[in-house]
């Protein structure tokens, strides 16, 4: 029985290797304070430290410039396209000055009267090469534990996002986006080497799901997955799990950290993608005679 309409064949290409196929990645697990200026200064310092450690790719957390709450999102929001945007200016300047690619975590974005949870990717020339607006908003209701409704203030993005950079093709998801294997499947089908998920899982979902989700997305799609969380602040209204992590194409964890402020530096070698896909050729074993994959974005580009 076909579960999906036969519009596209899911046969992820072996992605060709980018300019830099072996490089260091840094995950900056930043403390987030009520002062946006302090957050921007801290992020700049962490990026500089990462570059000094030899990182070619630096990843920041979800909502690194703004304590995570619906009250704060409008107060800390920046208009990325029109400006002013001190967070974007800092990231762009740092990427260019240090010659690193930056997956700029996420910040609240204001645009045409709406708010989004948005991640920009910066090339080594400082230009924004991709902008991802979180497509799955985090609405959760676990009575006695956690209630949060991003949809009270935020609007969901409409498209998957792939960035072509010096350090490969990178698919972007923001936190709750990691729970949707379909998004990761699209990135794999488009030849991504790595999926980056800036994220801020909380103490409840973090314990049970944070590691599981990233290892699953890496193993399902036989590519690298990197997550980057804010550091845990037990006094905050929304306490984050931490544990920023890099997983490889078999789902093994290459590097991770605890819940305090930290920079995780680890080496990525994309030849492992080829090796793992030879070891276990899932693309050839897939039963497209009984189920098929539809990449709706490819079918309706621009939607
Ligand atoms: N910020 C989020 O999307 C949080 C999330 O997904 C969680 O599980 O916590």
């Amino acid at each position: 029985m076909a579960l999906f309409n036969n519009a596209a064949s899911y046969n992820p290409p072996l992605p060709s290797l980018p300019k830099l196929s072996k490089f260091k990645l840094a995950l900056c697990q930043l403390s987030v304070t009520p002062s946006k200026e302090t957050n921007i200064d801290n992020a700049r310092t962490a990026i500089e430290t990462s570059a000094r450690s030899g990182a070619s790719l630096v990843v920041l957390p979800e909502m690194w410039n703004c304590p995570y709450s619906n009250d704060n999102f409008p107060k800390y929001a920046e208009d990325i396209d029109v400006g002013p945007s001190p967070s974007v200016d800092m990231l762009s300047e740092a990427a260019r000055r240090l010659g690193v690619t930056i997956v700029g975590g996420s910040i609240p974005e204001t645009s045409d009267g709406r708010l989004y949870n948005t991640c920009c990717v910066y090339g080594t020339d400082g230009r924004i090469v991709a902008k991802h607006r979180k497509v799955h908003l985090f609405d959760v209701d676990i009575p006695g534990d956690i209630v949060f409704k991003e949809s009270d203030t935020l609007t969901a993005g409409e498209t998957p996002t792939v960035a072509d950079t010096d350090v490969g093709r990178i698919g972007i998801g923001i936190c709750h986006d990691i729970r949707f294997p379909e998004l990761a499947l699209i990135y794999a089908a488009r030849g991504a080497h790595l999926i980056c998920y800036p994220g801020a899982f909380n103490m409840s979902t973090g314990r049970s799901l944070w590691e599981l989700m990233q290892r699953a997305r890496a193993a399902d799609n036989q590519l690298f997955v990197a997550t980057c969380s804010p550091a845990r602040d037990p006094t905050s209204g929304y306490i984050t799990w931490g544990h920023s992590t890099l997983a490889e194409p078999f789902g093994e964890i290459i590097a991770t950290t605890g819940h305090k402020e930290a920079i995780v530096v680890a080496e990525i070698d994309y030849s492992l993608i080829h090796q793992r896909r030879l070891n276990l050729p899932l693309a050839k074993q897939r039963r497209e005679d009984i189920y098929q994959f539809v990449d709706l974005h490819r079918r309706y580009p621009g939607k």
Side-chain angles (χ1 to χ4, degrees):
M1 184 181 66
L3 295 181
F4 303 106
N5 196 8
N6 184 15
S9 173
Y10 180 76
N11 187 13
L14 268 184
S16 56
L17 292 177
K19 200 157 115 187
L20 259 182
S21 62
K22 200 170 171 183
F23 60 92
K24 280 189 188 164
L25 149 109
L27 307 170
C28 299
Q29 184 164 289
L30 302 172
S31 291
V32 180
T33 76
S35 159
K36 194 204 267 192
E37 211 181 328
T38 303
N39 298 333
I40 291 175
D41 286 346
N42 283 349
R44 184 191 297 105
T45 303
I47 295 166
E48 288 168 351
T49 306
S50 303
R52 270 200 305 279
S53 309
S56 300
L57 171 63
V58 183
V59 185
L60 300 190
E62 181 181 27
M63 292 293 177
W64 61 269
N65 77 355
C66 162
Y68 186 85
S69 84
N70 276 314
D71 286 346
N72 285 334
F73 296 152
K75 292 184 204 149
Y76 287 68
E78 300 178 15
D79 191 324
I80 293 173
D81 297 328
V82 177
S85 184
S87 304
V88 167
D89 292 348
M90 182 279 288
L91 293 175
S92 166
E93 188 279 328
R96 187 178 41 73
R97 175 167 48 90
L98 301 166
V100 292
T101 300
I102 299 178
V103 173
S106 80
I107 62 169
E109 178 196 11
T110 176
S111 178
D112 291 331
R114 295 193 167 150
L115 286 175
Y116 300 91
N117 185 340
T118 303
C119 172
C120 293
V121 181
Y122 302 80
T124 50
D125 59 1
R127 297 240 284 262
I128 293 179
V129 292
K131 184 166 93 164
H132 179 74
R133 291 173 168 163
K134 187 174 189 173
V135 291
H136 305 94
L137 295 181
F138 181 55
D139 287 357
V140 65
D141 186 352
I142 308 175
D145 191 345
I146 177 158
V147 177
F148 198 95
K149 231 179 145 199
E150 277 191 331
S151 63
D152 279 347
T153 54
L154 302 178
T155 300
E158 291 296 329
T159 55
T161 306
V162 169
D164 280 314
T165 72
D166 287 356
V167 285
R169 182 164 282 195
I170 306 176
I172 304 292
I174 300 176
C175 204
H176 193 43
D177 284 339
I178 201 172
R179 289 199 173 80
F180 298 86
E182 297 86 345
L183 187 63
L185 205 62
I186 285 173
Y187 293 152
R190 293 187 190 178
H193 303 94
L194 165 70
I195 307 178
C196 286
Y197 294 99
F201 269 38
N202 61 78
M203 296 297 286
S204 168
T205 58
R207 183 170 292 108
S208 37
L209 294 168
W210 175 250
E211 184 182 312
L212 177 68
M213 291 289 103
Q214 51 201 292
R215 294 185 66 190
R217 296 297 83 86
D220 286 348
N221 297 292
Q222 301 184 299
L223 42 62
F224 286 86
V225 166
T227 58
C228 189
S229 166
R232 189 178 304 167
D233 172 5
T235 66
S236 140
Y238 180 94
I239 305 176
T240 54
W241 179 242
H243 297 275
S244 302
T245 295
L246 175 67
E248 58 82 70
F250 257 9
E252 294 291 342
I253 290 179
I254 293 184
T256 190
T257 186
H259 57 78
K260 297 196 175 134
E261 188 160 53
I263 300 176
V264 181
V265 179
E267 189 171 82
I268 288 188
D269 181 351
Y270 286 146
S271 67
L272 200 55
I273 299 176
H274 290 218
Q275 191 186 314
R276 294 310 195 200
R277 291 184 191 185
L278 284 172
N279 297 153
L280 199 58
L282 299 184
K284 286 193 197 134
Q285 297 164 351
R286 197 160 263 113
R287 291 291 306 273
E288 291 208 307
D289 54 329
I290 55 171
Y291 48 74
Q292 277 139 3
F293 169 73
V294 180
D295 180 344
L296 286 173
H297 184 62
R298 219 191 267 280
R299 245 172 114 185
Y300 307 112
K303 263 213 72 164

